[in-house]
């Protein structure tokens, strides 16, 4: 069975400081990993994905994520946070032995960036 | 929101009444999904479709049914709404099984 853990319900960071949102996963086979962001009263927006290849993945709005197979983690990072990055962030995973494109989502991490 | 619309955007209904939510896409993507979002649970898959008239259950399918008669439309029906189905419902689409999914704007459903 697939599972995703986002250990922090909320992350607080000052504007200009580095931002990290943690995600760990469990899947059968190799993982396909995704990050999404949700602004208030909006749908989820795709940020980035890891399928294969380079462990450091770059995505939209200056975000990047690092895949670590030994630690089964896929943490989202941004070198310098903006107030506009305040939102709800979701990590999602599916395994390659899954016969269908079912994504397992984490519970979400609220990011609050203060001026 | 990538060529995906959901209707209605907000609905209040009474316990026991049937409700149908509509998802419409203009991307011609093969795969469509219905999720519900509840605090502390992230998104949970209700039903999905892998083609016209081809659908299957997700992890929280009890009390819900779906239909897909055209590539662009995916309907979610609550046969007899209950208060536990108060939630925000999202439709999503994807072109390829392993690729990212794109989400609609959501429907906020309240069952009183």
């Amino acid at each position: 069975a697939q599972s995703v853990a986002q250990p922090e319900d909320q992350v607080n960071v000052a504007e200009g400081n580095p931002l990290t949102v943690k995600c760990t996963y469990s899947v059968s086979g190799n993982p396909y990993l995704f990050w999404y962001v949700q602004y208030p009263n909006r749908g989820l927006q795709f940020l980035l994905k890891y399928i294969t290849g380079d462990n450091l993945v770059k995505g939209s709005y200056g975000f990047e994520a690092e895949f670590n197979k030994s630690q089964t983690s896929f943490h989202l990072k941004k070198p310098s946070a903006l107030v506009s990055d305040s939102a709800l962030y979701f990590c999602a995973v599916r395994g390659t032995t899954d016969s269908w494109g079912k994504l397992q989502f984490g519970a979400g991490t609220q990011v609050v960036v203060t001026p | 929101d990538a060529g995906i619309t959901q209707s209605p955007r907000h609905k209040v209904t009474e316990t026991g009444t049937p409700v149908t939510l509509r998802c419409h896409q203009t991307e011609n993507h093969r795969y469509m999904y219905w999720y519900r979002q509840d605090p502390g649970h992230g998104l949970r898959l209700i039903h999905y479709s892998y083609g016209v008239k081809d659908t299957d259950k997700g992890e929280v399918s009890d009390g819900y049914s779906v239909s897909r008669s055209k590539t662009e439309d995916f309907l979610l029906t609550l046969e007899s709404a209950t208060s536990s189905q108060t939630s925000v419902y999202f439709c999503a689409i994807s072109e390829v099984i392993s690729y990212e999914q794109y989400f609609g704007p959501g429907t906020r459903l309240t069952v009183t």
Side-chain angles (χ1 to χ4, degrees), chain A residues 53-70:
Chain A
D54 194 345
N55 289 345
L56 185 63
V57 178
K58 294 188 182 298
S60 306
Y61 312 121
F63 284 95
E64 58 188 29
E66 186 168 11
F67 171 63
N68 187 316
K69 188 173 183 178
S70 62

Side-chain angles (χ1 to χ4, degrees), chain A residues 32 34 36 38 41-44 46 49 51 88 90 94 100-103 105-107, chain B residues 31 33 35 37 40 42-43 45 48-50 90 97-101 103-105 108:
Chain A
Y32 287 9
F34 305 84
Y36 289 84
Q38 185 181 32
N41 300 312
R42 299 289 300 276
L44 277 70
F46 169 73
K49 66 183 178 185
I51 303 298
L88 186 57
F90 291 98
R94 70 166 289 244
W100 218 85
K102 295 180 189 178
L103 286 183
F105 283 86
Chain B
Y31 304 95
Y33 315 77
Y35 291 90
Q37 182 180 18
L43 274 77
L45 183 65
Y48 56 92
S49 170
Y50 44 96
F90 287 101
I97 285 177
S98 59
Y99 287 9
E100 60 272 21
Q101 297 177 12
F103 286 79
R108 184 173 296 276

Side-chain angles (χ1 to χ4, degrees), chain A residues 10-43:
Chain A
Q10 182 165 315
V11 170
N12 298 299
V13 62
E15 188 174 32
N17 283 0
L19 170 63
T20 298
V21 186
K22 297 179 181 178
C23 172
T24 59
Y25 65 89
S26 175
V27 292
S28 299
N30 294 318
Y32 287 9
L33 294 153
F34 305 84
W35 275 103
Y36 289 84
V37 60
Q38 185 181 32
Y39 298 100
N41 300 312
R42 299 289 300 276

